[in-house]
Amino acid sequence: QVQLVESGGGLVQAGGSLRLSCAASGRTFSSYAMGWFRQGPGKEREFVVAINWNGGRTYYADSVSGRFTISRDNAKKTVYLQMNSLKLEDTAVYYCAASYGGAVVVGEGEYDYWGRGTQVTVSS
């Protein structure tokens, strides 16, 4: 079993920055690709970004490319999401997810484990 716990969410003004963390349990963190998804008010959950098992491959949604950066530290069993130049439309619950196999995937059905989410609210 893999347990994922997100942290770092909160309230931030538009144009500001926030860093999310996702801490994982277990001994095989490096076997998983990791992804971030988000769900805004009244919207469906959407893909944000993913990173492969060793951090050598990443894929970003167009809406966040150039503003968000994903990274991972396998020794610490943690994945990060650095969010800069935040916009009102970035307001959402952000979810961390793990995909066994290690390759970058973008579909929700490809992920095996999910965190409970952390709220990010961007104000004007």
Side-chain angles (χ1 to χ4, degrees):
Q1 293 290 320
V2 175
Q3 302 287 333
L4 303 174
V5 180
E6 303 95 335
S7 63
L11 177 65
V12 63
Q13 291 187 348
S17 298
L18 206 60
R19 190 191 196 195
L20 305 183
S21 297
C22 174
S25 67
R27 303 187 300 273
T28 58
F29 178 74
S30 62
S31 297
Y32 294 84
M34 301 296 296
W36 288 95
F37 292 76
R38 68 185 184 185
Q39 186 169 19
K43 300 179 180 179
E44 296 183 351
R45 188 158 60 186
E46 65 176 350
F47 171 81
V48 177
V49 62
I51 187 168
N52 79 333
W53 69 276
N54 67 357
R57 299 279 186 177
T58 59
Y59 182 77
Y60 294 83
D62 289 342
S63 59
V64 305
S65 181
R67 300 187 298 119
F68 290 12
T69 303
I70 190 172
S71 61
R72 67 189 296 163
D73 186 335
N74 287 350
K76 295 182 178 180
K77 300 179 181 178
T78 303
V79 63
Y80 306 95
L81 182 63
Q82 178 67 47
M83 304 184 294
N84 298 327
S85 302
L86 284 162
K87 305 175 180 179
L88 293 178
E89 52 263 43
D90 294 320
T91 294
V93 176
Y94 283 72
Y95 297 91
C96 175
S99 177
Y100 182 77
V104 169
V105 289
V106 301
E108 292 184 20
E110 300 295 330
Y111 287 84
D112 303 288
Y113 301 97
W114 293 80
R116 293 184 178 183
T118 185
Q119 177 71 49
V120 173
T121 302
V122 183
S123 64
S124 62

